Amino acid sequence: METFAVQPRDMTCRTLLYAPHHAFRRDLDRLTAAAAAGKGRASHVRAGWENLKEQIRLHQELEDGWLWPRVERAVAGRRAERAVLEEVRADHARLAPLIARVDEAMGGAAGQDAAGAGDLPAAVRELREALERYLLHEERSALPLAESVLAVAEWRALAAEAQGRCEAGTPLFVPWVVDGIGPVERSRFLTALPKPLRELNRVMWEPRYRKRRLWSI
């Protein structure tokens, strides 16, 4: 079954790459609120955090392992465009230690004591600021650059690559993206999916996702 409708670059790019950005921001806002309320170690907050980390990892693996190398080849010899990619990669590299710091402040694995739990609001704030810089650089520079230099066939290949990497996680990825999203954006995202997947999301994936109560405190 085709995971995402393989359409020209605008739809493929916005379905696979732009749409998760809202969800990243939304989840970090939820973590910020939980930390401020002293609920950062609640089980549903931990579950939301673990899912957020996994979604960030998958997003960056797709970009760093597939997208940016192809954009880099397309702009070979163009210093300004290559600088855009170097900036995004530097932003990416800054995230890993900040994610680890949030993990440490939350007490690491569930059940461990959290000696540094009092630092959780500060750790989340630093991660939120760094992630926002990363997302803005992508939205304003790197992704528009990719849209301008990659051919339609390469966007089709990106969709196929995403299917191979994320197929097992699609039942979580789709309802995660549309959780709390505005009606126009929700319709645009879901319309990019084949009808069978939209139906699976409606009757199975979203109900299961809601039962997990991610981030509830």
Side-chain angles (χ1 to χ4, degrees):
M1 182 183 295
E2 185 183 14
T3 301
F4 295 100
V6 183
Q7 299 182 28
R9 62 180 181 271
D10 58 342
M11 186 60 71
T12 302
C13 184
R14 294 181 187 282
T15 300
L16 297 177
L17 302 175
Y18 281 94
H21 286 197
H22 168 81
F24 294 147
R25 291 174 169 119
R26 178 204 65 217
D27 279 4
L28 274 176
D29 287 345
R30 290 171 173 174
L31 181 56
T32 297
K39 302 291 186 178
R41 300 180 68 200
S43 60
H44 293 299
V45 174
R46 283 183 174 274
W49 168 241
E50 291 301 321
N51 177 62
L52 174 59
K53 288 192 298 181
E54 177 66 5
Q55 298 297 342
I56 291 174
R57 182 186 69 81
L58 291 171
H59 183 77
Q60 292 184 326
E61 280 187 355
L62 181 63
E63 291 182 335
D64 293 344
W66 198 100
L67 180 61
W68 303 140
R70 283 160 175 78
V71 176
E72 193 165 34
R73 287 196 292 272
V75 300
R78 294 157 59 178
R79 183 177 301 177
E81 286 84 350
R82 290 177 65 88
V84 168
L85 300 179
E86 290 170 4
E87 186 176 59
V88 169
R89 288 191 172 115
D91 288 338
H92 178 184
R94 294 185 188 102
L95 294 182
L98 297 176
I99 289 172
R101 185 182 171 200
V102 172
D103 268 333
E104 182 180 2
M106 292 180 77
Q112 294 181 358
D113 291 333
D119 294 330
L120 181 59
V124 174
R125 182 171 60 253
E126 287 190 29
L127 175 59
R128 180 69 172 83
E129 291 171 354
L131 184 67
E132 184 64 22
R133 286 194 297 271
Y134 173 64
L135 298 179
L136 287 176
H137 285 158
E138 283 199 354
E139 292 163 358
R140 294 173 178 174
S141 302
L143 290 177
L145 174 61
E147 290 181 278
S148 72
V149 300
L150 296 185
V152 169
E154 290 176 294
W155 289 107
R156 294 180 185 275
L158 172 64
E161 178 71 12
Q163 176 177 343
R165 289 172 181 255
C166 305
E167 191 166 36
T170 302
L172 181 58
F173 175 76
V174 174
W176 170 74
V177 167
V178 300
D179 179 11
I181 200 170
V184 174
E185 291 79 8
R186 175 187 174 90
S187 175
R188 183 180 295 124
F189 176 79
L190 292 176
T191 300
L193 305 179
K195 185 176 179 179
L197 293 192
R198 293 199 298 271
E199 285 301 302
L200 280 171
N201 183 65
R202 183 180 65 83
V203 303
M204 186 180 301
W205 297 346
E206 279 202 72
R208 287 179 178 175
Y209 177 87
R210 286 194 294 269
K211 286 181 180 179
R212 296 184 65 186
R213 299 175 57 217
L214 298 183
W215 302 109
S216 61
I217 55 177

